[in-house]
Amino acid sequence: MERPILASIDTGALSHNLARVRELVGNSRIWSVVKARAYGHSLKAALAGLGQTDGFALLDLDDARWLRAQGWDKRILLLEGLFNEDDLSSVIELRCDLVVHCAEQVSWLEKQSHPITVFLKLNSGMNRLGFTPDAYRLAYHRLHAQGHHVHHMTHFANADRVDREPSVGAQMECFSKTIDGLQGETSLANSAAVLWHRNALGDWVRPGIMLHGISPTGAYKDIEHAHLKTVMSLSSKIIAVQELQAGDAVGYGARYVAKQAMRIGVIACGYADGYPRHAVDGTPVWVSGPTDKTSGIICPIAGQVSMDMLTIDLSHAPWATLGTSVELWGKNLPVDDVANQAQTIGYELVCAIAPRVPVEII
Ligand SMILES: Cc1ncc(COP(=O)(O)O)c(C=O)c1O
């Protein structure tokens, strides 16, 4: 018998979410951000579900090569640009657009006569990648003089919150001032900006997490209004049931102690599958109902998550037994709700799905 864990990826939900992004962004074109195996959903599923996008944005040349091999003919953007000069020939062969974020990358492109489409990255306050406003215009002119097609890009640090600096407004002002008078298209918005700052879109938006139906803030209620659909469902089954007496403890460290007689369900999913070990007692797990027609209920985690298993309190699911289906996150339980209990964000959980978890693309 196969271990019952499975990640199901709904490509119809991906298509739906892309269509929702399109409605939200009007005439802006869309780079669908699919780095990190499409946020753990697999590039194969992304290609199947996001075929209507204007381009894919990712990190690795191998992923670009794979997309071209599948017949993807539209644009591909390498979000961190070249990691070394030798990769330029592959970039040309694979017809990739390049982010350029540092002086070394400009020097490499200055030696290249084949025109490349570049999104030049401005550091407008996030202080991660990009040129300072002073250095930006010089880099632009150097690339332009060499015959490359240069566009403008920046990335927001706080598009998902209003209480931090630099604000979206401050970063936009820096961006507008810096590119003033320079030709080229613009690209600014991640998912949070698409959702909440529609004055900050530019010619190309760059949504990632919202395409996967997950909130940039980590709170599912924040994206309910956007009517996005859940793409990944991580499911498994109960593989054992324990009957505890009051005072019995569960699992490593005896973290959970039964207050009264109760049943514990042991589920085939642990941190080696990508489930967060930091999940506290009370973290929700969805347990299917007694029949196919009844809806399931949420049962709380009881005890430390271990490598291959986790344990839940079945007090409110007396029907649950060996073989009962559970969902760790997905259509019945937003990944954001699980992430909250593990002090992380949905991004981290879906990206961390382990290679050993079988993936079903539907
Ligand atoms: C440069 C850049 N643009 C866009 C995105 C997509 O962001 P999100 O998944 O929050 O939409 C990312 C992801 O971190 C990014 O690094």
Side-chain angles (χ1 to χ4, degrees):
M1 192 187 105
E2 273 181 27
R3 205 166 160 257
I5 192 163
L6 182 69
S8 293
I9 312 297
D10 181 345
T11 56
L14 279 172
S15 306
H16 167 90
N17 294 344
L18 179 65
R20 286 293 299 132
V21 171
R22 239 190 237 295
E23 281 168 27
L24 291 171
V25 304
N27 291 330
S28 297
R29 279 175 286 166
I30 302 172
W31 290 117
S32 290
V33 178
V34 292
K35 55 186 180 165
R37 297 177 292 134
Y39 292 53
H41 293 63
S42 87
L43 206 49
K44 192 173 172 192
L47 182 58
L50 300 173
Q52 297 303 313
T53 191
D54 300 297
F56 284 117
L58 39 77
L59 302 185
D60 299 313
L61 268 173
D62 282 350
D63 288 345
R65 193 176 297 286
W66 184 86
L67 284 171
R68 290 295 184 226
Q70 306 308 305
W72 178 253
D73 211 26
K74 291 191 256 180
R75 310 260 295 262
I76 298 176
L77 174 65
L78 297 183
L79 275 173
E80 291 177 357
L82 288 171
F83 297 109
N84 68 70
E85 191 175 357
D86 297 342
D87 287 338
L88 206 41
S89 53
S90 300
V91 166
I92 293 167
E93 177 205 331
L94 296 169
R95 292 174 287 120
C96 293
D97 296 4
L98 279 183
V99 168
V100 169
H101 63 78
C102 64
E104 290 78 3
Q105 292 177 334
V106 174
S107 307
W108 298 338
L109 288 183
E110 271 183 322
K111 295 184 228 157
Q112 180 52 245
S113 56
H114 187 284
I116 309 271
T117 300
V118 166
F119 278 76
L120 190 60
K121 190 156 186 181
L122 174 70
N123 172 10
S124 57
M126 185 164 177
N127 293 317
R128 198 175 61 171
L129 295 182
F131 293 89
T132 60
D134 286 345
Y136 187 90
R137 292 180 73 93
L138 176 62
Y140 176 93
H141 290 302
R142 283 170 64 187
L143 292 167
H144 191 65
Q146 184 62 29
H148 300 304
H149 307 296
V150 192
H151 305 297
H152 311 284
M153 163 179 175
T154 197
H155 193 49
F156 295 127
N158 292 313
D160 59 336
R161 59 208 313 162
V162 289
D163 57 342
R164 295 271 170 94
E165 291 294 330
S167 65
V168 167
Q171 287 195 258
M172 280 179 73
E173 197 181 322
C174 171
F175 184 70
S176 309
K177 265 194 200 148
T178 307
I179 69 167
D180 188 38
L182 302 177
Q183 284 180 347
E185 296 166 359
T186 57
S187 178
L188 299 92
N190 55 3
S191 296
V194 168
L195 286 161
W196 298 301
H197 301 275
R198 271 194 292 286
N199 60 336
L201 299 180
D203 298 308
W204 287 85
V205 293
R206 302 189 311 273
I209 199 74
M210 70 181 295
L211 293 172
H212 302 93
I214 300 168
S215 173
T217 63
Y220 184 70
K221 65 173 172 29
D222 292 345
I223 57 164
E224 266 169 350
H225 70 283
H227 302 295
L228 302 171
K229 291 189 177 171
T230 298
V231 180
M232 178 192 289
S233 295
L234 179 64
S235 61
S236 186
K237 287 189 171 164
I238 294 177
I239 58 167
V241 174
Q242 299 294 337
E243 308 275 350
L244 303 193
Q245 300 306 314
D248 288 348
V250 184
Y252 289 118
R255 185 177 81 182
Y256 183 85
V257 180
K259 291 194 181 62
Q260 66 259 320
M262 65 180 294
R263 294 164 75 237
I264 288 284
V266 182
I267 294 168
C269 178
Y271 61 77
D273 299 300
Y275 196 90
R277 186 173 172 279
H278 298 297
V280 295
D281 287 344
T283 301
V285 172
W286 183 88
V287 175
S288 63
T291 70
D292 282 352
K293 292 205 174 80
T294 43
S295 54
I297 66 160
I298 298 295
C299 293
I301 284 191
Q304 175 76 58
V305 174
S306 54
M307 187 183 285
D308 312 308
M309 284 169 269
L310 56 82
T311 41
I312 58 172
D313 173 356
L314 291 179
S315 300
H316 297 291
W319 64 86
T321 183
L322 193 98
T324 298
S325 298
V326 303
E327 189 179 274
L328 288 317
W329 59 70
K331 292 187 192 300
N332 298 294
L333 173 59
V335 68
D336 295 309
D337 292 359
V338 180
N340 256 308
Q341 299 277 350
Q343 276 139 47
T344 183
I345 47 177
Y347 293 78
E348 188 180 6
L349 297 192
V350 288
C351 287
I353 284 284
R356 79 176 191 181
V357 175
V359 176
E360 169 194 56
I361 298 175
I362 50 175

